[in-house]
Every structure is written in structure tokens, then in C-alpha cells.
Amino acid sequence: MPKNRWAAVTVGLVVLAAVFAVWSGWSWYRAAHDDSAAYARARDQVLAAGEQAVQNMNTLDHADLTHGLDLWEASTTGDLHTQLVQGRADFEKQVQQAQTVTTARVLSGAVTELDDRAGRASVMIALRISVQAPQSAPAAKESRMLGELTRTPDGWKLSALGQAPMGDSAAVSPQPSAQPSAGQ
């Protein structure tokens, strides 16, 4: 092959590599700055925060009550947080008398609504909740919870929590006045 052909092939390959590099860089930049990618990241953050907060709110050990209730308060905001803080002393007495240990494990979760601009979201979380009371066999049940989250400077936090309707029940949104039972 003559020298001119090798030079032409080399120049052609260099041009092709440069075009591919520009196209790859542009595609990467577009994907990294795509609104749908940012929305997906926000949705993942909401789901992780929602699952953790709902699990926290359904886990409590009478022997480590202060830590558990502090975790509840750290997981909440708004009216739900205010209600937990105001009712804490009475609730501590109820749990100490019942001497229960409640543990929750997230089975699955989904973001049902996300308004990233307004900083509001809704989640549905399926849990397996185990309750151990003194001199009783552990009781386990599965539960579906609806939670509303609000973005705060510290991240997404629960602002409302309630039971999801079962069966043919009409859809009900969680109430900010959700108060855990003494069995938790």
C-alpha cells in the first residue's frame, strides 16, 4: 500500500475517533443533566428516607425507650413531630407498663407521589411487625403504611403516617395525627 493511502487511512481513523469522542461526551453530558435522571435520584432518596422512617416509627424497645423515641422524633417533621414531642411522656409510661419490644422490617415500598419542587412526597410501605410482650409468644403481622414526607434542611422526613386501607376500602390519605399504640 502506498504511503499516501496509509496517511489517508490514519487521518480517517483519527477523524472517526474524534467524532466518536465528541458524540460520547455530548451523550454523557446530556444524560447527566437530564431532568428525568434528577427526578429518579429524588425518587430514590424519598423511597429510602420513607422506608427508614416508617421502619423507625414501628420499632421500639421498652428497654431502650429514650433512643427509640429520639429516633422517632428525628424521623418526623411538622404536626406529626409536634404530636410525638407533646405526647412523649404519656407514651413512655404506656410502653414501660406494657414492656413490649416491637421490631419492624420493610418488605417493600413505593413512592406514590412526588412533587420535588414543592418538597412533598407520598409513599406506601409494606412491613412485617413483630411484637414481643412479657410472658407472651411473639406476634407478627404484616402491615401497609401510607406516609407523607416533607423535604427539610436535614432531608426527607415523615410529616404524616397512617394505615393503608385493606381490601375494598376507599383510598384514605395518612393523617398527621397518627399516634402509635402502646403495643409499639
Side-chain angles (χ1 to χ4, degrees), residues 6-174:
W6 278 113
V9 168
T10 302
V11 167
L13 289 174
V14 167
V15 168
L16 187 61
V19 167
F20 179 75
V22 168
W23 177 79
S24 295
W26 178 76
S27 295
W28 172 84
Y29 179 84
R30 197 175 84 194
H33 294 86
D34 185 8
D35 285 343
S36 62
Y39 187 79
R41 282 190 299 276
R43 185 188 62 233
D44 292 345
Q45 290 171 348
V46 165
L47 182 59
E51 286 178 341
Q52 186 63 58
V54 171
Q55 180 174 321
N56 291 348
M57 293 294 295
N58 285 278
T59 300
L60 193 60
D61 183 344
H62 74 93
D64 193 15
L65 196 52
T66 300
H67 172 73
L69 293 177
D70 288 347
L71 198 54
W72 284 17
E73 290 177 14
S75 301
T76 59
T77 189
D79 291 341
L80 180 58
H81 179 80
T82 301
Q83 182 180 12
L84 290 173
V85 170
Q86 290 174 350
R88 183 172 176 146
D90 290 336
F91 190 69
E92 283 177 340
K93 289 177 193 172
Q94 291 174 1
V95 173
Q96 288 294 7
Q97 285 178 336
Q99 293 189 350
T100 54
V101 177
T102 305
T103 24
R105 183 173 57 94
V106 173
L107 301 175
S108 65
V111 175
T112 58
E113 186 179 344
L114 173 58
D115 185 343
D116 197 33
R117 289 184 182 151
R120 289 188 311 256
S122 299
V123 294
M124 179 182 278
I125 309 294
L127 300 166
R128 174 162 290 128
I129 302 169
S130 299
V131 179
Q132 175 67 55
Q135 285 143 53
S136 298
K141 69 175 185 169
E142 291 184 2
S143 180
R144 290 184 309 180
M145 306 293 290
L146 293 175
E148 290 181 6
L149 290 99
T150 301
R151 186 175 41 235
T152 71
D154 296 327
W156 291 93
K157 296 191 177 205
L158 276 176
S159 50
L161 182 62
Q163 287 284 351
M166 299 292 229
D168 293 336
S169 301
V172 177
S173 63

